Amino acid sequence: QVQVVESGGGLVQTGGSLRLSCAASERIYTLNAMAWYRQAPEKQRELVAYISDIGRINYADSVKGRFTISRDNAKNTVWLQMNSLKPEDTAVYYCNMGTYYSGTYFAGDYWGQGTQVTVSS
């Protein structure tokens, strides 16, 4: 019933930028955080970044200094600003609603459909 929708993916050259957007149809108050994951072909799903409702933020080491996650709690929306993109950032990016607890993000069962990001060299 809860819908999670991502947008903003596309094709960009190395060093370029993209801004991904994710909107949930409603807030589930037992879930206090949202996150971006990505999955490349033949690779494991990877947690890219998360942000809690009170602003706790963490990034994967591979994207620190290049990506920025932000939120609007009132609109149930989260963004991922991606700068200085590299070919290894190529993946399908998924938005997730989950839980932050004691320094760890726990994925919930609410996922977006995914948006493709392709970075060419």
Side-chain angles (χ1 to χ4, degrees), residues 31-60:
L31 304 177
N32 67 347
M34 298 180 72
W36 288 96
Y37 286 80
R38 66 186 181 187
Q39 187 166 21
E42 302 180 1
K43 292 186 177 180
Q44 295 293 107
R45 184 183 61 183
E46 175 188 21
L47 176 61
V48 176
Y50 67 79
I51 183 167
S52 78
D53 54 357
I54 59 171
R56 301 288 190 182
I57 294 173
N58 199 19
Y59 299 96

mmCIF file of all heavy atoms in Angstrom, residues 31-60:
data_model
loop_
_atom_site.group_PDB
_atom_site.id
_atom_site.type_symbol
_atom_site.label_atom_id
_atom_site.label_comp_id
_atom_site.label_asym_id
_atom_site.label_seq_id
_atom_site.Cartn_x
_atom_site.Cartn_y
_atom_site.Cartn_z
ATOM 1 N N LEU A 31 9.317 3.512 11.429
ATOM 2 C CA LEU A 31 10.544 3.582 10.654
ATOM 3 C C LEU A 31 11.052 5.016 10.693
ATOM 4 O O LEU A 31 10.359 5.927 10.259
ATOM 5 C CB LEU A 31 10.300 3.137 9.218
ATOM 6 C CG LEU A 31 9.691 1.743 9.046
ATOM 7 C CD1 LEU A 31 9.417 1.452 7.582
ATOM 8 C CD2 LEU A 31 10.604 0.683 9.643
ATOM 9 N N ASN A 32 12.245 5.211 11.194
ATOM 10 C CA ASN A 32 12.751 6.556 11.456
ATOM 11 C C ASN A 32 13.855 7.006 10.518
ATOM 12 O O ASN A 32 14.496 8.032 10.768
ATOM 13 C CB ASN A 32 13.235 6.666 12.901
ATOM 14 C CG ASN A 32 14.459 5.820 13.180
ATOM 15 O OD1 ASN A 32 14.831 4.967 12.386
ATOM 16 N ND2 ASN A 32 15.085 6.058 14.331
ATOM 17 N N ALA A 33 14.072 6.283 9.440
ATOM 18 C CA ALA A 33 15.167 6.632 8.548
ATOM 19 C C ALA A 33 14.861 6.193 7.122
ATOM 20 O O ALA A 33 14.015 5.335 6.876
ATOM 21 C CB ALA A 33 16.472 5.993 9.023
ATOM 22 N N MET A 34 15.585 6.794 6.201
ATOM 23 C CA MET A 34 15.522 6.407 4.804
ATOM 24 C C MET A 34 16.939 6.276 4.277
ATOM 25 O O MET A 34 17.871 6.874 4.824
ATOM 26 C CB MET A 34 14.731 7.423 3.976
ATOM 27 C CG MET A 34 13.286 7.557 4.421
ATOM 28 S SD MET A 34 12.329 8.753 3.445
ATOM 29 C CE MET A 34 12.154 7.859 1.892
ATOM 30 N N ALA A 35 17.090 5.496 3.231
ATOM 31 C CA ALA A 35 18.421 5.201 2.733
ATOM 32 C C ALA A 35 18.413 5.016 1.229
ATOM 33 O O ALA A 35 17.374 4.763 0.607
ATOM 34 C CB ALA A 35 18.974 3.938 3.398
ATOM 35 N N TRP A 36 19.599 5.139 0.665
ATOM 36 C CA TRP A 36 19.846 4.784 -0.721
ATOM 37 C C TRP A 36 20.757 3.575 -0.778
ATOM 38 O O TRP A 36 21.806 3.544 -0.121
ATOM 39 C CB TRP A 36 20.493 5.940 -1.485
ATOM 40 C CG TRP A 36 19.559 7.068 -1.765
ATOM 41 C CD1 TRP A 36 19.410 8.213 -1.044
ATOM 42 C CD2 TRP A 36 18.638 7.157 -2.854
ATOM 43 N NE1 TRP A 36 18.456 9.020 -1.613
ATOM 44 C CE2 TRP A 36 17.962 8.395 -2.726
ATOM 45 C CE3 TRP A 36 18.315 6.329 -3.921
ATOM 46 C CZ2 TRP A 36 16.984 8.810 -3.627
ATOM 47 C CZ3 TRP A 36 17.339 6.745 -4.816
ATOM 48 C CH2 TRP A 36 16.693 7.966 -4.662
ATOM 49 N N TYR A 37 20.348 2.580 -1.541
ATOM 50 C CA TYR A 37 21.167 1.430 -1.873
ATOM 51 C C TYR A 37 21.457 1.444 -3.361
ATOM 52 O O TYR A 37 20.786 2.124 -4.137
ATOM 53 C CB TYR A 37 20.442 0.128 -1.536
ATOM 54 C CG TYR A 37 20.353 -0.219 -0.071
ATOM 55 C CD1 TYR A 37 19.396 0.373 0.748
ATOM 56 C CD2 TYR A 37 21.204 -1.166 0.489
ATOM 57 C CE1 TYR A 37 19.299 0.043 2.086
ATOM 58 C CE2 TYR A 37 21.111 -1.510 1.827
ATOM 59 C CZ TYR A 37 20.159 -0.904 2.621
ATOM 60 O OH TYR A 37 20.059 -1.243 3.953
ATOM 61 N N ARG A 38 22.439 0.657 -3.756
ATOM 62 C CA ARG A 38 22.684 0.470 -5.178
ATOM 63 C C ARG A 38 23.119 -0.961 -5.436
ATOM 64 O O ARG A 38 23.671 -1.629 -4.565
ATOM 65 C CB ARG A 38 23.733 1.452 -5.712
ATOM 66 C CG ARG A 38 25.136 1.259 -5.163
ATOM 67 C CD ARG A 38 26.041 2.382 -5.658
ATOM 68 N NE ARG A 38 27.409 2.236 -5.182
ATOM 69 C CZ ARG A 38 28.359 3.144 -5.363
ATOM 70 N NH1 ARG A 38 28.092 4.278 -6.015
ATOM 71 N NH2 ARG A 38 29.586 2.923 -4.894
ATOM 72 N N GLN A 39 22.856 -1.410 -6.652
ATOM 73 C CA GLN A 39 23.250 -2.748 -7.047
ATOM 74 C C GLN A 39 23.664 -2.745 -8.509
ATOM 75 O O GLN A 39 22.879 -2.389 -9.386
ATOM 76 C CB GLN A 39 22.119 -3.748 -6.825
ATOM 77 C CG GLN A 39 22.539 -5.188 -7.060
ATOM 78 C CD GLN A 39 21.537 -6.184 -6.521
ATOM 79 O OE1 GLN A 39 20.365 -5.853 -6.312
ATOM 80 N NE2 GLN A 39 21.988 -7.403 -6.291
ATOM 81 N N ALA A 40 24.895 -3.140 -8.739
ATOM 82 C CA ALA A 40 25.412 -3.292 -10.084
ATOM 83 C C ALA A 40 25.250 -4.739 -10.522
ATOM 84 O O ALA A 40 25.149 -5.643 -9.680
ATOM 85 C CB ALA A 40 26.886 -2.883 -10.137
ATOM 86 N N PRO A 41 25.224 -4.995 -11.835
ATOM 87 C CA PRO A 41 25.095 -6.376 -12.307
ATOM 88 C C PRO A 41 26.170 -7.282 -11.724
ATOM 89 O O PRO A 41 27.341 -6.912 -11.659
ATOM 90 C CB PRO A 41 25.245 -6.239 -13.819
ATOM 91 C CG PRO A 41 24.789 -4.856 -14.114
ATOM 92 C CD PRO A 41 25.251 -4.031 -12.939
ATOM 93 N N GLU A 42 25.762 -8.434 -11.263
ATOM 94 C CA GLU A 42 26.656 -9.455 -10.716
ATOM 95 C C GLU A 42 27.372 -9.011 -9.443
ATOM 96 O O GLU A 42 28.388 -9.589 -9.064
ATOM 97 C CB GLU A 42 27.674 -9.901 -11.773
ATOM 98 C CG GLU A 42 27.032 -10.444 -13.039
ATOM 99 C CD GLU A 42 28.045 -10.884 -14.061
ATOM 100 O OE1 GLU A 42 29.255 -10.792 -13.798
ATOM 101 O OE2 GLU A 42 27.627 -11.329 -15.141
ATOM 102 N N LYS A 43 26.842 -7.999 -8.774
ATOM 103 C CA LYS A 43 27.410 -7.551 -7.516
ATOM 104 C C LYS A 43 26.336 -7.527 -6.426
ATOM 105 O O LYS A 43 25.142 -7.498 -6.714
ATOM 106 C CB LYS A 43 28.031 -6.163 -7.658
ATOM 107 C CG LYS A 43 29.270 -6.128 -8.530
ATOM 108 C CD LYS A 43 29.920 -4.763 -8.501
ATOM 109 C CE LYS A 43 31.205 -4.744 -9.313
ATOM 110 N NZ LYS A 43 31.849 -3.402 -9.276
ATOM 111 N N GLN A 44 26.796 -7.534 -5.184
ATOM 112 C CA GLN A 44 25.887 -7.486 -4.053
ATOM 113 C C GLN A 44 25.291 -6.091 -3.890
ATOM 114 O O GLN A 44 25.907 -5.090 -4.257
ATOM 115 C CB GLN A 44 26.609 -7.888 -2.771
ATOM 116 C CG GLN A 44 27.093 -9.328 -2.736
ATOM 117 C CD GLN A 44 25.951 -10.294 -2.709
ATOM 118 O OE1 GLN A 44 25.670 -10.966 -3.708
ATOM 119 N NE2 GLN A 44 25.263 -10.387 -1.582
ATOM 120 N N ARG A 45 24.101 -6.059 -3.327
ATOM 121 C CA ARG A 45 23.493 -4.781 -3.003
ATOM 122 C C ARG A 45 24.331 -4.063 -1.951
ATOM 123 O O ARG A 45 24.784 -4.671 -0.975
ATOM 124 C CB ARG A 45 22.069 -5.004 -2.493
ATOM 125 C CG ARG A 45 21.305 -3.722 -2.210
ATOM 126 C CD ARG A 45 19.937 -4.029 -1.648
ATOM 127 N NE ARG A 45 20.027 -4.749 -0.389
ATOM 128 C CZ ARG A 45 18.989 -5.198 0.304
ATOM 129 N NH1 ARG A 45 17.754 -5.000 -0.146
ATOM 130 N NH2 ARG A 45 19.179 -5.844 1.449
ATOM 131 N N GLU A 46 24.500 -2.770 -2.118
ATOM 132 C CA GLU A 46 25.372 -1.974 -1.269
ATOM 133 C C GLU A 46 24.603 -0.798 -0.679
ATOM 134 O O GLU A 46 23.904 -0.080 -1.399
ATOM 135 C CB GLU A 46 26.559 -1.459 -2.090
ATOM 136 C CG GLU A 46 27.484 -0.515 -1.349
ATOM 137 C CD GLU A 46 28.534 0.106 -2.249
ATOM 138 O OE1 GLU A 46 28.325 0.128 -3.484
ATOM 139 O OE2 GLU A 46 29.569 0.559 -1.729
ATOM 140 N N LEU A 47 24.765 -0.587 0.626
ATOM 141 C CA LEU A 47 24.203 0.590 1.267
ATOM 142 C C LEU A 47 25.083 1.792 0.948
ATOM 143 O O LEU A 47 26.268 1.801 1.272
ATOM 144 C CB LEU A 47 24.118 0.382 2.774
ATOM 145 C CG LEU A 47 23.633 1.567 3.614
ATOM 146 C CD1 LEU A 47 22.218 1.978 3.231
ATOM 147 C CD2 LEU A 47 23.706 1.225 5.101
ATOM 148 N N VAL A 48 24.497 2.796 0.322
ATOM 149 C CA VAL A 48 25.232 3.979 -0.102
ATOM 150 C C VAL A 48 25.209 5.061 0.962
ATOM 151 O O VAL A 48 26.244 5.646 1.301
ATOM 152 C CB VAL A 48 24.664 4.527 -1.424
ATOM 153 C CG1 VAL A 48 25.369 5.818 -1.827
ATOM 154 C CG2 VAL A 48 24.790 3.478 -2.522
ATOM 155 N N ALA A 49 24.037 5.356 1.493
ATOM 156 C CA ALA A 49 23.881 6.418 2.477
ATOM 157 C C ALA A 49 22.532 6.285 3.156
ATOM 158 O O ALA A 49 21.590 5.749 2.575
ATOM 159 C CB ALA A 49 23.998 7.799 1.825
ATOM 160 N N TYR A 50 22.446 6.785 4.389
ATOM 161 C CA TYR A 50 21.159 6.848 5.061
ATOM 162 C C TYR A 50 21.050 8.134 5.853
ATOM 163 O O TYR A 50 22.058 8.769 6.174
ATOM 164 C CB TYR A 50 20.905 5.631 5.962
ATOM 165 C CG TYR A 50 21.810 5.502 7.176
ATOM 166 C CD1 TYR A 50 21.597 6.260 8.318
ATOM 167 C CD2 TYR A 50 22.855 4.582 7.183
ATOM 168 C CE1 TYR A 50 22.414 6.127 9.431
ATOM 169 C CE2 TYR A 50 23.674 4.443 8.290
ATOM 170 C CZ TYR A 50 23.448 5.214 9.411
ATOM 171 O OH TYR A 50 24.260 5.079 10.519
ATOM 172 N N ILE A 51 19.819 8.483 6.177
ATOM 173 C CA ILE A 51 19.544 9.666 6.977
ATOM 174 C C ILE A 51 18.329 9.384 7.846
ATOM 175 O O ILE A 51 17.317 8.868 7.372
ATOM 176 C CB ILE A 51 19.339 10.910 6.087
ATOM 177 C CG1 ILE A 51 19.130 12.160 6.944
ATOM 178 C CG2 ILE A 51 18.191 10.713 5.106
ATOM 179 C CD1 ILE A 51 19.238 13.454 6.134
ATOM 180 N N SER A 52 18.427 9.707 9.137
ATOM 181 C CA SER A 52 17.317 9.500 10.049
ATOM 182 C C SER A 52 16.431 10.736 10.090
ATOM 183 O O SER A 52 16.772 11.788 9.537
ATOM 184 C CB SER A 52 17.818 9.166 11.452
ATOM 185 O OG SER A 52 18.252 10.335 12.127
ATOM 186 N N ASP A 53 15.306 10.619 10.777
ATOM 187 C CA ASP A 53 14.379 11.743 10.857
ATOM 188 C C ASP A 53 14.928 12.902 11.674
ATOM 189 O O ASP A 53 14.401 14.011 11.574
ATOM 190 C CB ASP A 53 13.021 11.288 11.397
ATOM 191 C CG ASP A 53 13.113 10.565 12.730
ATOM 192 O OD1 ASP A 53 14.226 10.345 13.239
ATOM 193 O OD2 ASP A 53 12.046 10.205 13.262
ATOM 194 N N ILE A 54 15.953 12.670 12.490
ATOM 195 C CA ILE A 54 16.579 13.747 13.236
ATOM 196 C C ILE A 54 17.966 14.080 12.702
ATOM 197 O O ILE A 54 18.754 14.753 13.368
ATOM 198 C CB ILE A 54 16.648 13.441 14.739
ATOM 199 C CG1 ILE A 54 17.431 12.163 15.017
ATOM 200 C CG2 ILE A 54 15.246 13.353 15.325
ATOM 201 C CD1 ILE A 54 17.714 11.937 16.488
ATOM 202 N N GLY A 55 18.273 13.616 11.508
ATOM 203 C CA GLY A 55 19.468 14.062 10.827
ATOM 204 C C GLY A 55 20.720 13.233 11.008
ATOM 205 O O GLY A 55 21.812 13.697 10.644
ATOM 206 N N ARG A 56 20.617 12.044 11.555
ATOM 207 C CA ARG A 56 21.776 11.156 11.586
ATOM 208 C C ARG A 56 22.083 10.701 10.170
ATOM 209 O O ARG A 56 21.206 10.213 9.458
ATOM 210 C CB ARG A 56 21.507 9.942 12.471
ATOM 211 C CG ARG A 56 21.170 10.276 13.912
ATOM 212 C CD ARG A 56 22.370 10.767 14.663
ATOM 213 N NE ARG A 56 22.093 10.858 16.101
ATOM 214 C CZ ARG A 56 22.952 11.302 17.005
ATOM 215 N NH1 ARG A 56 24.165 11.692 16.620
ATOM 216 N NH2 ARG A 56 22.609 11.356 18.273
ATOM 217 N N ILE A 57 23.317 10.844 9.764
ATOM 218 C CA ILE A 57 23.724 10.561 8.397
ATOM 219 C C ILE A 57 24.974 9.698 8.382
ATOM 220 O O ILE A 57 25.875 9.884 9.199
ATOM 221 C CB ILE A 57 23.999 11.868 7.623
ATOM 222 C CG1 ILE A 57 22.706 12.674 7.451
ATOM 223 C CG2 ILE A 57 24.636 11.584 6.270
ATOM 224 C CD1 ILE A 57 22.917 14.042 6.847
ATOM 225 N N ASN A 58 25.026 8.786 7.433
ATOM 226 C CA ASN A 58 26.234 8.010 7.215
ATOM 227 C C ASN A 58 26.354 7.686 5.737
ATOM 228 O O ASN A 58 25.349 7.555 5.033
ATOM 229 C CB ASN A 58 26.226 6.731 8.046
ATOM 230 C CG ASN A 58 27.619 6.140 8.207
ATOM 231 O OD1 ASN A 58 28.620 6.812 8.020
ATOM 232 N ND2 ASN A 58 27.682 4.862 8.549
ATOM 233 N N TYR A 59 27.599 7.556 5.282
ATOM 234 C CA TYR A 59 27.896 7.250 3.889
ATOM 235 C C TYR A 59 28.834 6.060 3.794
ATOM 236 O O TYR A 59 29.689 5.849 4.664
ATOM 237 C CB TYR A 59 28.580 8.430 3.202
ATOM 238 C CG TYR A 59 27.772 9.697 3.155
ATOM 239 C CD1 TYR A 59 27.935 10.690 4.110
ATOM 240 C CD2 TYR A 59 26.849 9.910 2.137
ATOM 241 C CE1 TYR A 59 27.204 11.862 4.062
ATOM 242 C CE2 TYR A 59 26.111 11.083 2.078
ATOM 243 C CZ TYR A 59 26.294 12.051 3.050
ATOM 244 O OH TYR A 59 25.562 13.218 2.991
ATOM 245 N N ALA A 60 28.691 5.322 2.725
ATOM 246 C CA ALA A 60 29.684 4.316 2.407
ATOM 247 C C ALA A 60 31.015 4.998 2.117
ATOM 248 O O ALA A 60 31.057 6.103 1.575
ATOM 249 C CB ALA A 60 29.248 3.493 1.203
#
